[in-house]
Amino acid sequence: MEPILEVQNLEVKFHTLDGVVNAVNGVSYSVEAGKTLGIVGESGCGKSVSVLSIMRLIPDPPGKIAGGKILYLGNNLLEYDETSMEHIRGAAISMVFQDPMTSLNPVLTIGKQIGEAMMFHHGFTRDQAERRTIELLNLVGIPNPEQRIKEYPHQFSGGMRQRAMIAMALSCTPDILIADEPTTALDVTIQAQIVDLTRRLQDELGMAVIWITHDLGVIAELADRMVVMYAGYIVEEADVFQLYENPLHPYTLSLLKSLPRVDSSRAGERLATIPGFPPDGITVLPGCPLAPRCRFAVERCMQENPHLEQFVADHNVACWVDVTTGKER
Amino acid sequence: MVETTESDVIKLQEQFKAEALTPGQLVRMRFARHKMAVLGLIVLLLLIIYSFGGAFFYTETEANFTDTKIRLSAPSAEHPFGTDTVGRDIMIRTIYGGQISILIGLSAVVVEVIVGVLIGAIAGYYGGWIDSLLMRFTEAMFNIPQLFLLLVMAKFFGGKVPNLNFLGREFSGSVVVIIVIIGITSWMYLARIVRANFLSLKEREFVLAAHTTGTSNASIIFQHILPNSIAPIVVSATLGVANAIISEAYISFLGLGVQPPTATWGNMLEGAYNYIETAPWLWIFPGSLIVLTVLSINFVGDGLRDALDPHALVDAG
């Protein structure tokens, strides 16, 4: 099946006072209609920057998309002008953010905020937009929507606001929904509701979802394909089952290990952590960016940065070491 | 056991939920706690009733009717506020002069708000060289003393604008000139407030979220960010009305403002300084009306500042 969105060799740099930050370094991924792509990684590894580039919403200056292509239905979005992008945003690709507390405008009613995109993209009248907004709020499971559209964000709870954000993102039935850590600011029960809701809506509407998270537990339920990012590179890419059953990159292994488990036999033990911090992206070392934090690191890791290669069928990994044997490939 | 789904429970609770206060109600409640502001508002309303309601009892012709035989007569039953240097009734003139003064105050602020908000919003939102350019211009305007700018502009444009009809009254062209020049010499402070607000608000996540739904820059500026900075704009505009009334008073006092026979509180003071002791009613009445109006507006502005501050506590009791 043809991918609906294809990111090819995307490079994003931020020109800061401290130097040039290489936020995204030649990243490629794609997603098909009706499928979910999960992107995981630590904070600051380029997940959000790569999806904001898809929307062309990198703050410029200081950010700059330095190279690559973003193909939506075969058209390169990086060649679009601002006006054409406005017709893409919300209508073709829309986005849900991490913190529903801050991503709704505090002085506008929920109804107005959701209805606005439909009035812009579909030329709806105020009445049509309001009727559709009520339908949407019903769809995302907000009770009493006729009343609720007249309320302000502070009258909504966190979970309700995230539902409202999802309703807003879905208002113009986009082909692609980008969810940037949409459950991070919510508590666990609400997280589960939002995940269920997204899956249900995806089945009903057939859109592609790009779900960014650092929580491997949440994404396991949703994703079809997974991308693991580190320091602006994709270090591993595989089918979701493959990734969880045979992780091939030391970083993925560490992430999985640092996941708390209910059924753990290691009860009472401390949770595994990854020592150190991710690199700042300014100082570029010749080797693999993970090497200083990697327990599998060999001599070569310090000198050469590995490329993404396919070792197992449909499973790409960027590592000089075979983690199953612990030896250099 | 009765089966209830989660949404049923929520619906049930929604029915018993106390109706939340709208932002408007909160503002009114907080404003009402500010005693001086309420008093100011009442006085202001009375002044408006006085100058606009008075027009039903006296015509403008009466306000401009001169009778030199009774010039400089002291307040009496027939002329409650006395008469001026050419025998016009001062009370009727304060009624018609009040209309002009209040209209100038309000209209000049409309000009001020339009210019100030536009410049401040564009500078704050776009940043970069646009911001630098607009802010240097604002600073340049700041550096010219407003009084001199007003006087020069009043002198320059005076008499070049024809009279016009509005609300069934003939307005001297000088009124329009005064409104515009007060407006365009007083927007700088507001522009800075708006810019500062936009600088912080544009970084908020809801602005990014609005971008992701395809909202255009213009719509983000005016429909998403501007409503968030409405409180300082309202406060500043309210106080701006008081300043505009004073500005009008002093240009008119110097004889460069609204030209007689059209009365304003300001130009009624013109010439009164020759009679400060001999005919105090010439300046006491228009002067006190100016002071009263400006003071009331300032109290209302203070009250609004507190009422519109979202961080202020609500004490409903």
Side-chain angles (χ1 to χ4, degrees):
Chain A
M1 202 176 160
E2 275 292 291
I4 191 159
L5 182 83
E6 216 177 334
V7 175
Q8 294 177 349
N9 295 317
L10 181 70
E11 272 181 52
V12 184
K13 296 184 192 308
F14 284 87
H15 300 267
T16 67
L17 291 178
D18 298 326
V20 178
V21 179
N22 302 293
V24 176
N25 306 307
V27 159
S28 304
Y29 50 76
S30 63
V31 59
E32 292 163 11
K35 299 282 186 193
T36 301
L37 173 74
I39 304 181
V40 293
E42 266 170 288
S43 305
C45 66
K47 299 171 305 211
S48 299
V49 171
S50 80
V51 293
L52 277 176
S53 309
I54 297 174
M55 293 295 253
R56 293 268 310 278
L57 285 173
I58 297 287
D60 176 15
K64 257 255 145 22
I65 298 176
K69 279 182 185 168
I70 292 168
L71 301 174
Y72 165 68
L73 297 173
N75 303 315
N76 189 357
L77 292 183
L78 296 181
E79 286 164 2
Y80 278 37
D81 62 13
E82 186 58 25
T83 327
S84 319
M85 270 321 286
E86 278 168 12
H87 291 280
I88 294 285
R89 294 183 195 129
I93 309 174
S94 61
M95 195 159 171
V96 176
F97 289 92
Q98 174 174 351
D99 191 352
M101 301 293 166
T102 56
S103 42
L104 285 164
N105 194 329
V107 299
L108 302 180
T109 59
I110 297 288
K112 181 168 166 34
Q113 294 188 56
I114 299 177
E116 194 187 49
M118 292 183 278
M119 287 160 70
F120 173 66
H121 292 296
H122 294 343
F124 277 17
T125 63
R126 203 168 289 277
D127 280 351
Q128 284 173 312
E130 189 179 305
R131 246 173 292 141
R132 179 82 182 118
T133 303
I134 292 171
E135 280 172 36
L136 281 164
L137 290 182
N138 256 323
L139 187 72
V140 297
I142 290 182
N144 206 359
E146 293 83 0
Q147 190 57 44
R148 285 298 193 162
I149 55 167
K150 294 183 207 115
E151 294 185 358
Y152 290 87
H154 72 269
Q155 290 163 288
F156 277 51
S157 68
M160 295 268 244
R161 283 187 219 188
Q162 198 60 296
R163 284 165 191 267
M165 284 301 294
I166 292 174
M168 195 193 299
L170 298 181
S171 60
C172 297
T173 50
D175 294 333
I176 303 156
L177 175 71
I178 298 173
D180 187 356
E181 304 201 28
T183 58
T184 310
L186 305 173
D187 55 53
V188 184
T189 48
I190 311 291
Q191 277 184 18
Q193 290 176 13
I194 297 291
V195 169
D196 286 343
L197 174 70
T198 312
R199 203 163 33 192
R200 201 189 81 218
L201 293 172
Q202 189 178 17
D203 288 344
E204 283 175 31
L205 307 170
M207 63 199 170
V209 174
I210 299 178
W211 188 285
I212 296 181
T213 184
H214 53 243
D215 187 340
L216 282 157
V218 169
I219 195 68
E221 290 184 49
L222 263 173
D224 296 296
R225 224 178 150 69
M226 296 277 292
V227 162
V228 181
M229 283 187 75
Y230 184 75
Y233 295 94
I234 291 183
V235 294
E236 186 164 9
E237 190 203 349
D239 175 80
V240 67
F241 297 107
Q242 271 286 327
L243 191 95
Y244 281 82
E245 305 217 334
N246 312 305
L248 289 181
H249 197 279
Y251 184 61
T252 317
L253 271 176
S254 315
L255 283 180
L256 286 169
K257 214 171 260 164
S258 54
L259 201 64
R261 298 182 69 100
V262 195
D263 57 350
S264 176
S265 53
R266 298 168 287 145
E269 274 179 42
R270 295 190 71 150
L271 209 54
T273 53
I274 309 174
F277 303 98
D280 58 13
I282 297 175
T283 34
V284 181
L285 301 169
C288 168
L290 185 67
R293 304 172 75 187
C294 180
R295 63 196 167 93
F296 293 94
V298 293
E299 194 57 32
R300 195 177 182 188
C301 298
M302 302 294 177
Q303 284 139 17
E304 258 185 282
N305 194 1
H307 297 289
L308 208 58
E309 274 179 71
Q310 190 162 335
F311 292 107
V312 184
D314 205 23
H315 190 156
N316 302 322
V317 68
C319 189
W320 297 123
V321 177
D322 185 348
V323 292
T324 47
T325 59
K327 292 203 184 75
E328 199 175 330
R329 285 184 199 274
Chain B
M1 198 179 111
V2 187
E3 283 285 319
T4 50
T5 64
E6 196 198 333
S7 64
D8 285 338
V9 175
I10 295 173
K11 266 187 191 139
L12 199 69
Q13 287 170 335
E14 294 269 336
Q15 285 170 13
F16 289 101
K17 209 175 77 174
E19 197 62 34
L21 295 166
T22 65
Q25 284 172 316
L26 287 174
V27 168
R28 277 195 291 275
M29 265 157 73
R30 285 193 290 241
F31 186 83
R33 282 191 302 148
H34 211 291
K35 297 279 184 302
M36 289 312 281
V38 176
L39 184 71
L41 191 66
I42 292 169
V43 172
L44 207 56
L45 287 175
L46 289 176
L47 285 165
I48 290 169
I49 292 169
Y50 172 73
S51 27
F52 288 86
F56 292 107
F57 299 96
Y58 303 99
T59 64
E60 199 178 4
T61 329
E62 285 177 87
N64 295 339
F65 180 75
T66 57
D67 183 358
T68 41
K69 286 198 292 280
I70 54 163
R71 68 190 289 266
L72 294 174
S73 53
S76 63
E78 201 185 340
H79 299 288
F81 289 179
T83 60
D84 68 5
T85 48
V86 287
R88 292 176 293 209
D89 183 278
I90 289 184
M91 189 181 79
I92 307 178
R93 283 185 77 71
T94 54
I95 289 171
Y96 279 89
Q99 289 186 10
I100 301 284
S101 288
I102 292 168
L103 277 180
I104 287 178
L106 294 174
S107 324
V109 163
V110 171
V111 177
E112 176 188 338
V113 167
I114 292 172
V115 179
V117 166
L118 264 181
I119 290 187
I122 290 171
Y125 183 77
Y126 287 103
W129 65 270
I130 300 177
D131 182 29
S132 304
L133 190 76
L134 289 174
M135 281 303 112
R136 294 305 83 76
F137 176 59
T138 306
E139 278 152 24
M141 289 289 287
F142 247 127
N143 281 327
I144 307 169
Q146 196 198 3
L147 181 58
F148 293 117
L149 203 57
L150 281 174
L151 293 179
V152 170
M153 289 173 93
K155 188 97 185 138
F156 186 76
F157 292 108
K160 288 189 182 159
V161 179
N163 294 359
L164 65 150
N165 266 302
F166 180 62
L167 291 175
R169 275 191 71 175
E170 171 112 356
F171 283 95
S172 149
S174 54
V175 173
V176 182
V177 172
I178 295 296
I179 288 171
V180 173
I181 64 177
I182 292 177
I184 60 175
T185 53
S186 59
W187 53 268
M188 293 83 77
Y189 193 60
L190 184 64
R192 280 191 171 177
I193 295 176
V194 174
R195 171 182 175 266
N197 249 282
F198 268 64
L199 278 179
S200 77
L201 286 169
K202 73 168 176 183
E203 302 295 339
R204 298 273 292 273
E205 202 155 73
F206 66 78
V207 173
L208 187 61
H211 272 299
T212 63
T213 58
T215 318
S216 65
N217 282 329
S219 160
I220 286 179
I221 292 176
F222 294 109
Q223 289 174 25
H224 288 255
I225 305 185
L226 196 58
N228 277 285
S229 48
I230 208 73
I233 294 173
V234 167
V235 172
S236 170
T238 311
L239 301 175
V241 175
N243 284 331
I245 289 176
I246 292 182
S247 299
E248 182 276 320
Y250 61 59
I251 327 177
S252 295
F253 175 73
L254 294 172
L256 292 165
V258 177
Q259 297 304 315
T262 306
T264 74
W265 289 340
N267 71 11
M268 290 176 71
L269 294 174
E270 188 195 355
Y273 58 83
N274 289 328
Y275 306 95
I276 285 177
E277 281 171 46
T278 49
W281 59 90
L282 282 188
W283 54 267
I284 283 181
F285 295 106
S288 338
L289 284 168
I290 292 174
V291 171
L292 211 56
T293 311
V294 169
L295 209 58
S296 312
I297 292 173
N298 279 317
F299 281 131
V300 172
D302 261 356
L304 280 178
R305 195 200 313 273
D306 295 345
L308 291 172
D309 180 2
H311 303 296
L313 293 171
V314 194
D315 184 3

